Amino acid sequence: MDDLDVLDWREQVARLYLSDLDLAGFRAARDDLFRTHPASPLPAADRPGFTGLRWYPPDPAAVVEAPLRPASGTESIDTGGPDGVVGYRRVAVAETPWGPLALWWIEAYGGGLFLPVRDATCGAGSYGGGRYLTDTVKGTFGRGLTVLPGRRVRLDANYLYNPSCAYDDRWACPLAPPENRVDVPIRAGELAYH
């Protein structure tokens, strides 16, 4: 795997997220990408027998609209990897049925919106470190989080997905800060890989 493979991975992920596939088609295409792409976060040894990621069943109740309230302040998250400490700026807080969730802007060249979530299923069905609903730096926009008029967002938790570090220790990932941890289970999206 080289940098051009990672670039192509990001392009393929962005195309998938912007495609017109339904949820089942999206999940099948994501499985194929994980199985076949050289920059897949899956360990190479796991790919030949890979039959697909595990998901909660689709849940229409996992799609919500939430008002946004202004937020300010920054947070530094140490990824534990070559990225080191990454700065994030709060851009808003979504008042969701699960609890308030901060939307973060990555303070780096080009920036990007980031919404990590750690809910009560984490460590008990889903990845213990939490999942992402969107990370626009990685091209995962247009499905999990959609900005609506009137300072609102549409969140579709059926698209919650594991960070790359959930599959292989070679990846370092920023995890949900304390304010993005909710006490309720969100039984939607991707389950733990192992």
Side-chain angles (χ1 to χ4, degrees), residues 1-190:
M1 178 178 67
D2 64 23
D3 292 340
L4 293 177
D5 290 330
V6 174
L7 177 65
D8 184 67
W9 169 266
R10 289 185 179 175
E11 179 180 346
Q12 297 307 315
V13 167
R15 288 179 186 277
L16 176 59
Y17 272 77
L18 294 171
S19 74
D20 60 359
L21 292 171
D22 64 6
L23 181 62
F26 171 87
R27 289 178 175 182
R30 192 162 189 261
D31 285 345
D32 187 56
L33 192 60
F34 269 60
R35 180 177 30 263
T36 62
H37 200 282
S40 169
L42 294 179
D46 289 3
R47 293 181 203 163
F50 178 69
T51 58
L53 299 168
R54 298 177 326 116
W55 298 87
Y56 284 100
D59 182 2
V63 183
V64 301
E65 288 189 15
L68 296 174
R69 64 176 162 83
S72 63
T74 59
E75 179 83 20
S76 295
I77 301 173
D78 188 345
T79 64
D83 293 334
V85 176
V86 178
Y88 296 84
R89 177 175 41 87
R90 288 174 201 85
V91 294
V93 174
E95 298 294 347
T96 78
W98 311 298
L101 294 171
L103 279 65
W104 300 90
W105 188 260
I106 300 167
E107 294 278 90
Y109 177 78
L113 192 63
F114 182 50
L115 179 52
V117 178
R118 188 171 191 280
D119 67 283
T121 69
C122 295
S126 67
Y127 177 61
R131 300 175 287 168
Y132 297 169
L133 198 50
T134 195
D135 183 353
T136 60
V137 167
K138 301 289 179 76
T140 61
F141 46 83
R143 287 187 181 258
L145 182 148
T146 306
V147 177
L148 302 173
R151 296 202 51 85
R152 299 179 61 76
V153 289
R154 178 181 175 269
L155 304 177
D156 187 341
N158 292 295
Y159 290 96
L160 279 167
Y161 66 95
N162 294 329
S164 297
C165 56
Y167 311 105
D168 191 334
D169 290 341
R170 70 187 163 129
W171 302 101
C173 304
L175 301 178
E179 67 190 274
N180 277 41
R181 297 176 185 174
V182 295
D183 294 332
V184 299
I186 304 174
R187 290 185 181 91
E190 191 174 347

